[in-house]
Amino acid sequence: MLNPNFVPAITEVSKVLKMNEFVAGVTILALGNGVSDYVISLVGIEGETRQIYTDCITESLFGCVFMSSFVIWVCPFANEPYYFLRDVGFVLFYVQYVDYCMEVNVGNVSILMALSIVCVYLIYIVVVIVDQYLLVRQKNDLRSRMMSRESTDDSNTQVSHFEKRNFSFAHYKSMWDITLNYEYQSPNKKLWKQLFAVLDTLDRDAFSKSSHILKMWALAKVIPLIALRLLIPPVNLKERWSKLLCSLQCVIIPSVITFGFTSWEVRIFGIPVVAVVIILCIPVALWAFHHSRTDAIPSWYKYMIFLNILSSTFVLYVTVREIVATVETLGLALHRSNSFVGSTFFTWGTGIVDLLTNMEMSRKGFPRMAFSACIGATSLSICASIGAPLLYKSIVSKTGSSETTEGSIGKNCTIILIVFLVVFIIYGVTTNFMMRRTAAIMGMTLYGLFVVFAVASEFDLLHAWGTDHSLERNRFQENYFD
């Protein structure tokens, strides 16, 4: 249920903001996909044994190489040359620049150098926003010229073609208007029945099967699905509109998220923060209840899209924490080194939810957005997971610099990522930017070679470039959340 709600919310926000798929992918979707990684990085910002560079680059390898290849495999597509070269080229430059900063300072990154790492990404975001602004202005100018000439059928076809190429989403169609047919009906008709119908999550088709496993599975899903429906406002309502549930979500969602990141002991003027949030949200819930009906969707419900994104991101974060805890335990049980656990189990644990989200986005007909998110998340991850922690540590350090290393396989990961990006650019140029499944096979193969290298390096079958195996015999000493 999570992905089917999160993906439409992203597309709806993109429509409202008039973003094309590429801009939405490298901004909104990239931020949503990577929020768990960034929070984990900020939580462990004080850690001294955390190999932030290796962790970030291996996660970038998984997202930029394997995940983007998987998106292409699910739904091959034709890419726009400008956006492809801009985004992939920037990631290539950004990775090389960060590697240069690490090499030239021999692990001692100054405040100025760390600030430059952050600023490079901010410049990229400014370029993306300016591109979007110029595109919208160009579209509006063309439409104005056509209208002033009393455009013919042929010119209308040209405008439609222009809009179709640059704005992949259909025009936003409002479904929120309340007609006068409901004026004299009770606004709370079947209020509780509607709520119970929405919270009825039993899969009756599976439960009616003769197999006991299917029956148990149908029953096991009931409680988690009820929790998700309480926490995540639906976007595509269809038959799932509930006035009472919508009003309750105005209180439940902010309270649960606040409690998830704080605790009951955290207080403001002696009052728990959670209690303050509940008190502030109750008037909003009462307003929502008063200005809605059970037989029609209110016009303001479209703003619940943003609450959907917030709650979906929170659920993704909680899910990733549990997955990471599981794979961490597996790595510890196998007695593997920090670099190996971080580049394999930890990376797969944090990336599996993003993979499912991008796969769902691709299946919904937005492969360009999913692909752009894989590329954009890499840039954002480098800024948030390397640049921001290094800047913070440099500022609080007495020497004005932060000490860090690329780890035993960090340099190798960087080289593999650079090679893939260069090969990917060559592939796009030589195939007229047609992302076929051959590109997916190429990316998956290259990532498979990296996994083979990581395993061989861990068991001393291969020697990582520029490192000494004896320096990496320490175990996984740091918990990623404490």
Side-chain angles (χ1 to χ4, degrees):
M1 178 179 174
L2 180 59
N3 284 335
N5 279 286
F6 184 61
V7 172
I10 293 294
T11 58
E12 290 296 332
V13 171
S14 303
K15 293 176 187 177
V16 173
L17 299 178
K18 297 181 180 180
M19 291 181 173
N20 59 30
E21 290 185 68
F22 305 97
V23 176
V26 299
T27 54
I28 297 177
L29 187 55
L31 180 61
N33 281 349
V35 66
S36 56
D37 297 339
Y38 315 141
V39 173
I40 290 171
S41 298
L42 294 177
V43 170
I45 200 169
E46 294 288 354
E48 295 298 331
T49 60
R50 175 77 184 274
Q51 298 180 359
I52 57 175
Y53 184 88
T54 302
D55 294 341
C56 178
I57 296 300
T58 52
E59 290 170 7
S60 300
L61 266 174
F62 181 79
C64 195
V65 179
F66 181 79
M67 201 180 299
S68 63
S69 300
F70 200 85
V71 167
I72 297 172
W73 180 267
V74 171
C75 184
F77 60 94
N79 215 329
E80 287 285 346
Y82 170 74
Y83 295 112
F84 175 84
L85 293 176
R86 182 197 66 185
D87 298 335
V88 178
F90 174 78
V91 174
L92 177 60
F93 165 76
Y94 204 18
V95 171
Q96 289 179 314
Y97 179 74
V98 174
D99 179 59
Y100 165 79
C101 293
M102 299 292 291
E103 290 289 343
V104 73
N105 294 282
V106 196
N108 292 312
V109 181
S110 63
I111 296 178
L112 184 61
M113 192 67 73
L115 182 62
S116 68
I117 295 176
V118 176
C119 289
V120 168
Y121 177 76
L122 298 179
I123 293 173
Y124 169 67
I125 292 299
V126 171
V127 171
V128 171
I129 295 174
V130 170
D131 278 347
Q132 175 68 13
Y133 169 75
L134 294 176
L135 184 62
V136 172
R137 192 176 70 172
Q138 183 183 6
K139 169 182 171 289
N140 293 334
D141 290 344
L142 179 61
R143 178 177 294 176
S144 300
R145 289 198 302 268
M146 292 299 179
M147 291 179 63
S148 63
R149 297 175 185 174
E150 297 180 351
S151 57
T152 60
D153 292 339
D154 292 337
S155 61
N156 286 330
T157 302
Q158 293 176 4
V159 174
S160 300
H161 175 72
F162 182 87
E163 292 179 347
K164 181 177 180 182
R165 178 175 180 179
N166 294 287
F167 294 90
S168 304
F169 306 114
H171 181 67
Y172 184 80
K173 297 180 180 179
S174 176
M175 60 177 181
W176 320 100
D177 297 331
I178 301 177
T179 65
L180 295 178
N181 297 330
Y182 306 107
E183 185 176 359
Y184 300 106
Q185 297 181 13
S186 172
N188 298 321
K189 185 179 180 180
K190 300 180 180 179
L191 181 68
W192 291 97
K193 182 178 180 180
Q194 188 182 61
L195 175 64
F196 294 140
V198 171
L199 296 180
D200 182 7
T201 59
L202 179 63
D203 187 353
R204 287 174 172 77
D205 292 336
F207 190 76
S208 62
K209 303 294 183 181
S210 58
S211 173
H212 294 293
I213 296 178
L214 292 178
K215 290 180 182 292
M216 294 296 294
W217 173 243
L219 291 174
K221 293 191 299 181
V222 170
I223 300 301
L225 287 177
I226 290 177
L228 287 176
R229 290 195 177 179
L230 287 172
L231 286 174
I232 303 178
V235 176
N236 297 329
L237 290 172
K238 297 181 181 179
E239 304 297 330
R240 292 197 336 213
W241 161 249
S242 172
K243 171 183 176 177
L244 183 57
L245 177 60
C246 180
S247 302
L248 291 174
Q249 286 174 333
C250 294
V251 178
I252 293 174
I253 295 174
S255 304
V256 171
I257 293 177
T258 302
F259 184 77
F261 287 104
T262 60
S263 65
W264 196 259
E265 287 74 20
V266 180
R267 298 174 180 271
I268 298 179
F269 301 110
I271 304 175
V273 176
V274 179
V276 174
V277 173
I278 294 175
I279 294 172
L280 294 176
C281 291
I282 287 178
V284 178
L286 294 175
W287 181 92
F289 187 85
H290 179 70
H291 291 82
S292 60
R293 305 176 58 91
T294 57
D295 48 14
I297 302 171
S299 59
W300 52 262
Y301 187 82
K302 55 188 175 183
Y303 298 108
M304 294 291 285
I305 293 173
F306 298 96
L307 202 58
N308 173 290
I309 294 176
L310 183 64
S311 56
S312 298
T313 302
F314 174 74
V315 174
L316 285 172
Y317 170 72
V318 174
T319 304
V320 167
R321 283 181 64 100
E322 296 304 318
I323 294 175
V324 169
T326 302
V327 297
E328 255 189 38
T329 304
L330 177 61
L332 289 169
L334 296 176
H335 301 288
R336 296 295 99 205
S337 67
N338 298 2
S339 297
F340 180 76
V341 174
S343 62
T344 54
F345 299 115
F346 183 80
T347 297
W348 300 335
T350 56
I352 186 64
V353 177
D354 299 343
L355 177 63
L356 294 176
T357 300
N358 288 322
M359 181 180 66
E360 185 70 21
M361 183 70 71
S362 183
R363 287 178 175 174
K364 291 290 184 179
F366 300 102
R368 297 173 187 83
M369 183 188 293
F371 177 82
S372 299
C374 297
I375 303 299
T378 300
S379 304
L380 184 55
S381 178
I382 293 174
C383 176
S385 300
I386 297 179
L390 289 179
L391 179 60
Y392 171 80
K393 289 184 177 181
S394 299
I395 293 174
V396 300
S397 174
K398 295 180 180 179
T399 61
S401 63
S402 57
E403 296 184 3
T404 186
T405 65
E406 293 184 323
S408 61
I409 62 173
K411 190 66 176 180
N412 301 267
C413 297
T414 302
I415 294 173
I416 293 175
L417 182 56
I418 292 174
V419 168
F420 171 78
L421 292 172
V422 171
V423 172
F424 211 38
I425 291 175
I426 295 174
Y427 178 90
V429 172
T430 55
T431 60
N432 197 24
F433 303 96
M434 301 294 294
M435 299 294 105
R436 303 186 181 95
R437 284 188 171 140
T438 51
I441 295 174
M442 178 186 68
M444 293 179 183
T445 301
L446 191 59
Y447 186 78
L449 291 175
F450 162 72
V451 174
V452 171
F453 162 77
V455 173
S457 177
E458 174 67 15
F459 290 95
D460 296 342
L461 300 177
L462 290 177
H463 193 108
W465 182 55
T467 62
D468 185 353
H469 283 289
S470 62
L471 300 178
E472 265 302 304
R473 291 304 92 196
N474 56 318
R475 297 300 107 188
F476 203 80
Q477 300 170 350
E478 182 186 20
N479 188 296
Y480 276 62
F481 303 111
D482 293 338

